[in-house]
Amino acid sequence: METRPQSPRPPGTPRWVALFHRPASGTWQVGAEAPDREPVLYALGEMTQTLRARGEDVTVDLWGPGDGAWRRYDISAPAPAPAPTPTAQPPAPGDQAPTPLTERLHSRRHQALMAGLSKAGLYDLTAEDVKAVQTVVDRLDEATVRTLARWLAAAGPGN
């Protein structure tokens, strides 16, 4: 019987992180990370489906915040109850309510930028940094965000 390898705790402040195990190298790789659980779970599902389609065995760990510290979550367990949020106001005249596609594209831009920041060695984001990330994600298209993330990754430690 094969034992499941243990993933290392991600560095930096707690956020949602999906780690994929690479059996060939025996290493763990960040597959997705974001301040919210849902985009990471979505990316985790997409990546798992892709890896299985390639015939690869998939071993994944989900890390996130728990009582102010890192906590490993059981992926098969239901999501924790979300914190109560204020009631959404209807969109202003001229504004459109976000569609699932626009929300998904927003999440993809956010994940790409966070991955670039992570590869650049920037894990501990301040509130001002989080606001800057959100502004970039809101205002730039996906191709531009991915280019920016690639630049950050290339400038990161070890490159």
Side-chain angles (χ1 to χ4, degrees):
M1 180 171 129
E2 190 176 330
T3 60
R4 186 181 188 287
Q6 290 288 352
S7 67
R9 180 179 62 87
T13 58
R15 60 202 175 283
W16 292 99
V17 178
L19 295 174
F20 286 80
H21 184 256
R22 295 292 184 192
S25 63
T27 60
W28 288 85
Q29 179 181 5
V30 173
E33 62 182 298
D36 299 315
R37 179 179 170 125
E38 297 310 314
V40 173
L41 289 178
Y42 178 83
L44 189 148
E46 292 289 315
M47 286 183 261
T48 300
Q49 190 174 25
T50 300
L51 292 171
R52 286 190 177 138
R54 292 180 188 162
E56 296 182 35
D57 288 328
V58 180
T59 304
V60 180
D61 266 350
L62 178 66
W63 287 84
D67 298 324
W70 281 106
R71 178 176 164 209
R72 185 175 307 156
Y73 287 86
D74 180 4
I75 297 170
S76 61
T85 56
T87 333
Q89 296 183 5
D95 286 352
Q96 296 180 18
T99 65
L101 176 61
T102 58
E103 288 178 0
R104 179 175 164 204
L105 293 176
H106 184 273
S107 293
R108 286 174 50 157
R109 291 191 308 269
H110 188 272
Q111 289 171 9
L113 186 54
M114 292 303 291
L117 289 169
S118 176
K119 288 184 179 183
L122 301 170
Y123 305 106
D124 298 321
L125 300 181
T126 65
E128 186 176 302
D129 296 333
V130 171
K131 185 177 178 185
V133 166
Q134 192 63 41
T135 301
V136 168
V137 168
D138 288 344
R139 294 184 182 172
L140 299 178
D141 61 90
E142 186 171 351
T144 305
V145 171
R146 289 193 180 280
T147 300
L148 180 59
R150 191 174 64 246
W151 293 342
L152 288 167
N159 291 326

